[in-house]
Amino acid sequence: MIRVDFLGPMGIEPMEVDVSSLEELSKILKQNEEIAQWLDDCAVAVNDTMVTSLHVELSSGDRVSLLPPVCGG
């Protein structure tokens, strides 16, 4: 199982899913309207390492974090 954390103002509870790649995870997340509205603007980290491609393999126990853009000073 992969843990997905939705950080910042997203206000979505973490979830666990059984997937083997970010591409597969993306397809699942796009089915949820509440999550889908954030996906195009979020940065993605796998096990605290930023990634820029959906072609990342995942293993059981991995953690994917979705980081929306935020303003601050």
Side-chain angles (χ1 to χ4, degrees), residues 8-20:
M10 295 177 78
I12 301 168
E13 290 295 316
M15 66 185 337
E16 291 192 358
V17 293
D18 189 14
V19 296
S20 60

Side-chain angles (χ1 to χ4, degrees), residues 1-5 14-21 24-25 28 46-47 57-64:
M1 293 295 249
I2 306 304
R3 179 182 169 99
V4 184
D5 291 325
M15 66 185 337
E16 291 192 358
V17 293
D18 189 14
V19 296
S20 60
S21 70
E24 189 177 352
L25 177 61
I28 291 170
V46 176
N47 299 322
E57 296 298 315
L58 300 171
S59 299
S60 183
D62 283 348
R63 185 174 67 117
V64 174

Side-chain angles (χ1 to χ4, degrees), residues 12 15 27-37 39:
I12 301 168
M15 66 185 337
K27 289 177 185 176
I28 291 170
L29 296 179
K30 286 179 181 178
Q31 295 174 6
N32 180 314
E33 287 184 29
E34 182 181 13
I35 296 170
Q37 66 182 345
L39 293 180

Side-chain angles (χ1 to χ4, degrees), residues 52-71:
T52 58
S53 170
L54 291 178
H55 302 291
V56 175
E57 296 298 315
L58 300 171
S59 299
S60 183
D62 283 348
R63 185 174 67 117
V64 174
S65 300
L66 296 179
L67 304 101
V70 293
C71 295

